[in-house]
Amino acid sequence: MAATEHETVFTYGAPALKYGTGASDEIGYDLTQYGAHRVLVVTDPQVAATGWPRRIADGIAGYGIETEIFDGVHVEPTDVSMQKAVDFARGTGPYDAFVAVGGGSAIDTAKAANLLTSNDGELMDYVNAPVGGGRAPGRPLKPLVAVPTTTGTGSESTTVCVLDVLSLRVKSGISHLRLRPSLAVVDPRLTVSQPPGVTAASGMDILCHAAESYTAKPYTEFERKRPEQRVPYCGSNPLADMFAEQSLRLLSWALPAAVRDGSDLKARAAMALAATFAGLGFGNAGVHIPHANAYPIAGQVKDFHPKDYPADEPMVPHGMAVSLTAPEAFRFTFDASPERHRRAALLLAPGADEPDDPAELLPSVLIALMHDIGIPDGIGAVGYTESDIPDLVDGTMKQQRLLATAPKPVTEDDIAGIYRRSLTLW
Ligand SMILES: NC(=O)c1ccc[n+]([C@@H]2O[C@H](COP(=O)([O-])OP(=O)(O)OC[C@H]3O[C@@H](n4cnc5c(N)ncnc54)[C@H](O)[C@@H]3O)[C@@H](O)[C@H]2O)c1
Ligand SMILES: [Zn+2]
């Protein structure tokens, strides 16, 4: 039998992009280019209260396009909340385009509403197996214009939609190329009203997207795929690396500055660019251990109520959940690519003192930054104890799609060790 053939091909996909102050005033014109006559604007109540979704809808109406607003998005969407958006879109439709105005929660909800009004079947049919049916949409979706108001997820560029399946207490997603928005409109003005807690958590999400995709298993180390086997996440590659490096460079000054002073427009514009760059990178390369751990950390939450998020239910926001085990995860992956870990750290903290043990550099840079911007001190500070670790490990091991991009093999014991050492960070 022939020896395993290594991959020689990497892929890159992205939405069309408009970036900059004023970009969101042009969406009506953009929609005419798709031939849209009736569009649904999807947002959440707190973002609706900023006035931007109404302003965008009015701008669209100025081009003779009928608009409807759904402002019932649930922050960190669930199967139940997404179903409400789908029912609304089915009940008031048909729509020939969607516009999502909000963070990852609104953009992902719009992806689901678009999917289930363009294709038959129900939400769980499309959720990744084994949680759901893993079905692929057979028909193309309608154009989706994604307008991020957080500087974080990069969902405006990606092919995934993340949801909490309430009955199973598990976070999962729908992942398919057809989910990618047609156009990302990144207007930094919309991000200025993010409260500091949201800026910090979603900023750590950007940072982990960049650092994880930069340290992901290189595409050349995967087995050669046939065309029909290709997946959106192909491992680190020269194009994604370029985006990750630029993102880290911007975050080094803009993340602390934007948390300190939300009205700092220069920092907000740099954060919006950093989020876009990281999304374009990780949306093709993939992420690994910190993101795999974030699913159970968020999904098994007990009684943590983060500042600046809706107070009605406990939650560990995505970016916070991702960051809490990142220092330990990168200490674990260090030996797979020491130079990349070092470079990521020095892009984030140029001139940082290099400790005797080079594996400590990236974790120490991350911990100093997290402390500075008000991220909780480890998984213990969001309510987990040693006795929760087996359940958290089970949850992580279910995220094989993400662990496949880790730069080295990961066992249950490795993950348990990462959780144990992340109970407190400083
Ligand atoms: N699809 C993807 O590629 C992808 C990637 C990472 C995360 N996610 C998902 O995205 C969700 C998190 O998204 P997020 O971090 O962007 O935050 P979010 O959409 O959950 O919003 C966080 C909070 O900030 C508020 N908010 C947002 N923008 C605001 C603004 N400009 N002014 C005032 N308040 C504002 C929201 O109302 C909400 O209360 C999670 O469900 C996560 O799992 C998706
Ligand atoms: Zn993320």
Side-chain angles (χ1 to χ4, degrees), residues 111-112 114-115 119 125-128 134-141 144 155 157-162 173-181 228 230-233 283 401:
K111 287 177 180 172
N114 190 2
L115 169 67
N119 282 266
D125 298 339
Y126 293 94
V127 170
N128 295 334
R135 176 172 162 189
R139 284 197 289 274
L141 276 61
L144 166 61
S155 178
S157 301
T158 70
T159 57
V160 285
C161 133
V162 183
I174 304 174
S175 176
H176 192 273
L177 284 174
R178 288 194 158 142
L179 256 54
R180 195 189 318 271
E228 68 278 13
R230 297 207 178 281
V231 286
Y233 293 159
R401 197 177 59 89

Side-chain angles (χ1 to χ4, degrees), residues 169 295-302 384 388 390-396:
R169 285 202 85 212
Y295 280 70
I297 293 173
Q300 296 173 26
V301 62
K302 298 174 194 174
Y384 292 105
D388 298 313
D391 285 344
L392 292 170
V393 172
D394 275 355
T396 299

Side-chain angles (χ1 to χ4, degrees), residues 212 215 288-291 293 322-334 341 362-363 366 407-408 414-415 418-419 421-422:
E212 289 173 53
T215 54
H288 55 88
I289 299 170
H291 268 76
N293 290 345
V322 171
S323 69
L324 293 174
T325 63
E328 282 305 324
F330 290 121
R331 191 173 275 131
F332 167 75
T333 55
F334 175 79
H341 286 69
L362 184 53
L366 290 177
K408 65 191 222 192
D414 296 329
I415 296 294
I418 290 171
Y419 277 124
R421 290 186 296 275
S422 301

Side-chain angles (χ1 to χ4, degrees), residues 139-401:
R139 284 197 289 274
L141 276 61
K142 297 278 164 39
L144 166 61
V145 178
V147 192
T149 63
T150 58
T151 39
T153 68
S155 178
E156 69 280 4
S157 301
T158 70
T159 57
V160 285
C161 133
V162 183
L163 70 158
D164 219 331
V165 181
L166 291 179
S167 55
L168 303 173
R169 285 202 85 212
V170 65
K171 273 214 164 198
S172 189
I174 304 174
S175 176
H176 192 273
L177 284 174
R178 288 194 158 142
L179 256 54
R180 195 189 318 271
S182 329
L183 172 65
V185 175
V186 183
D187 187 335
R189 293 176 305 174
L190 277 62
T191 70
V192 170
S193 49
Q194 279 174 103
V198 173
T199 306
S202 57
M204 286 308 296
D205 193 23
I206 309 178
L207 192 161
C208 290
H209 291 156
E212 289 173 53
S213 58
Y214 195 56
T215 54
K217 179 163 154 174
Y219 76 99
T220 47
E221 287 181 17
F222 287 84
E223 244 176 78
R224 173 104 208 206
K225 292 186 184 63
R226 293 192 303 275
E228 68 278 13
Q229 293 173 318
R230 297 207 178 281
V231 286
Y233 293 159
C234 63
S236 65
N237 62 75
L239 208 59
D241 288 351
M242 202 172 72
F243 284 118
E245 288 179 2
Q246 290 301 336
S247 180
L248 292 169
R249 193 170 279 136
L250 289 165
L251 289 167
S252 67
W253 64 271
L255 174 51
V259 173
R260 231 177 357 255
D261 175 9
S263 66
D264 178 343
L265 286 176
K266 204 165 146 243
R268 289 298 196 187
M271 288 297 287
L273 204 53
T276 306
F277 284 166
L280 293 171
F282 98 87
N284 291 289
V287 283
H288 55 88
I289 299 170
H291 268 76
N293 290 345
Y295 280 70
I297 293 173
Q300 296 173 26
V301 62
K302 298 174 194 174
D303 194 29
F304 182 70
H305 292 264
K307 193 171 138 291
D308 294 337
Y309 282 81
D312 45 346
E313 30 187 89
M315 68 184 294
V316 185
H318 172 76
M320 184 184 287
V322 171
S323 69
L324 293 174
T325 63
E328 282 305 324
F330 290 121
R331 191 173 275 131
F332 167 75
T333 55
F334 175 79
D335 57 1
S337 55
E339 191 41 44
R340 278 179 179 258
H341 286 69
R342 177 173 178 272
R343 182 151 170 75
L346 293 176
L347 286 167
L348 268 178
D353 282 341
E354 299 204 36
D356 293 339
D357 178 358
E360 291 302 314
L361 181 60
L362 184 53
S364 65
V365 163
L366 290 177
I367 288 172
L369 177 65
M370 288 161 71
H371 186 262
D372 181 30
I373 64 175
I375 298 289
D377 180 10
I379 59 170
V382 300
Y384 292 105
T385 62
E386 179 94 37
S387 63
D388 298 313
I389 292 178
D391 285 344
L392 292 170
V393 172
D394 275 355
T396 299
M397 297 314 286
K398 290 202 180 99
Q399 308 298 327
Q400 287 301 325
R401 197 177 59 89

